[in-house]
Amino acid sequence: MFAGLNGWHLVILLAVILLLFGAAKLPALAKSMGQSARVFKGEMKAMKEEDAAAQANATPAAPAETTDGSTAPGQNPAPGTDRAS
């Protein structure tokens, strides 16, 4: 993406940024960008933890079956089976 940029291009780019934002606002801009990146990183980490917890809780256990093919007492039969207990 930036493979064609050499030293002079970067100097010109920095000069344009300095002219647009001014020297006084650049530290505040950098601080704001850093805080935004930190918040974004924290939110992404929280979302990954929530997804991991949801996946751990979402794995349902299959109903236990007895040797004759019926479900154990107190458990519902598996969907799609029409066996009478």
Side-chain angles (χ1 to χ4, degrees):
M1 181 172 171
F2 298 111
L5 293 178
N6 61 25
W8 284 110
H9 290 124
L10 294 176
V11 169
I12 293 171
L13 184 64
L14 289 174
V16 169
I17 290 173
L18 186 63
L19 288 173
L20 287 176
F21 294 105
K25 294 192 179 200
L26 286 180
L29 180 67
K31 181 180 178 183
S32 174
M33 294 283 289
Q35 287 175 343
S36 298
R38 192 175 308 121
V39 168
F40 181 74
K41 183 179 176 182
E43 290 295 323
M44 291 299 294
K45 183 178 179 182
M47 287 176 58
K48 286 180 183 178
E49 289 172 356
E50 287 176 8
D51 287 345
Q55 286 180 353
N57 292 335
T59 54
E65 292 189 14
T66 59
T67 54
D68 64 352
S70 63
T71 58
Q75 293 186 347
N76 295 330
T81 59
D82 292 330
R83 297 186 180 140
S85 299

